[in-house]
Amino acid sequence: MTVVLIVGILAATAIPAFGTLSSSRRAAAAKEVARFLLVARSCALASGRPTGVKFDAGSALTIVNIPTPGAPPGAMIDPLGQPEPTIALPGLFNGVNVESVVLGDSTSGNVTLWFAYDGTPQTRTSSGTLGSAWVKDATITFTGNATLTVRRGSGLIE
């Protein structure tokens, strides 16, 4: 009886800890995606070139840009001449995925969230040409309903 009581007490204290762990992972994953978006926005502001974050199936993120006018989009090159690496959120934050990305023009799925030279978000086609205007804010939803919002008028990431 004593052993059952002790196991019950341990279980009662451990279960809330697992909930806290998953919410911490969701928050950390959202901060990592926000950091990626901020890097892309900052690079667009600094270089004057369209720069974005590409969201692929499986929650893979890559920072991409258009290196010269008319060139196709590709992985951004770091200062050492290497392409920026792709990260997989589930590999970094166990159990956390990007459930959906909906851009300001209602495009969703495997998309790239682009930032213009002035830091405002924009939509571009897969070939890099400017797409339709945003009519609403973009939302990125994670496992467990955590969300990030990118404001359409300013590019502010919340």
Side-chain angles (χ1 to χ4, degrees), residues 52-71:
V53 175
K54 183 177 180 182
F55 294 86
D56 285 331
S59 298
L61 307 172
T62 308
I63 297 178
V64 295
N65 71 353
I66 299 174
T68 57

Side-chain angles (χ1 to χ4, degrees), residues 18-40:
F18 286 117
T20 302
L21 180 62
S22 14
S23 66
S24 295
R25 283 184 184 147
R26 278 192 300 275
K31 285 180 183 178
E32 183 67 8
V33 172
R35 186 187 68 79
F36 254 63
L37 291 168
L38 188 57
V39 166

Side-chain angles (χ1 to χ4, degrees), residues 62-88:
T62 308
I63 297 178
V64 295
N65 71 353
I66 299 174
T68 57
M76 192 169 77
I77 304 301
D78 71 14
L80 298 175
Q82 300 299 313
E84 288 288 336
T86 296
I87 67 159

